[in-house]
Amino acid sequence: PGDPCYFLRELARLHVGDQVVGITRAKFSPESLDAVVYFTRAGAVGLITPFQSHKQAELMHKLEARLRLSASPLLHGHQ
């Protein structure tokens, strides 16, 4: 007759380098799995999503490399 009891278990840990100030769940296409989008105090936006195939992992790796080349750091020499 009481309320159900929920337990949390730590499955993974992730260091994002700054204080997370916002977090939400998002779906980027009808076929995709849910992703976690987070926002940091410094203005960074991050995404945590499971890859459904090796092809998706390769695409994200290439996208990250391209973004690193095209984005200049705010403070030169600090990344």
Side-chain angles (χ1 to χ4, degrees):
D3 289 333
C5 187
Y6 297 99
F7 294 95
L8 298 177
R9 186 176 66 160
E10 182 178 312
L11 298 176
R13 229 179 253 203
L14 176 68
H15 178 73
V16 297
D18 196 8
Q19 182 182 15
V20 174
V21 295
I23 193 166
T24 189
R25 189 172 69 181
K27 190 175 270 236
F28 294 99
S29 73
E31 300 84 30
S32 70
L33 297 174
D34 285 346
V36 175
V37 182
Y38 63 88
F39 311 92
T40 69
R41 185 177 51 153
V45 177
L47 173 74
I48 304 169
T49 184
F51 296 131
Q52 295 174 298
S53 69
H54 185 68
K55 187 176 179 180
Q56 283 183 333
E58 287 178 347
L59 174 66
M60 287 299 145
H61 180 71
K62 289 177 183 178
L63 177 62
E64 179 186 16
R66 181 163 285 208
L67 286 172
R68 286 184 186 273
L69 288 174
S70 66
S72 60
L74 294 175
L75 300 172
H76 294 288
H78 295 84
Q79 290 194 23

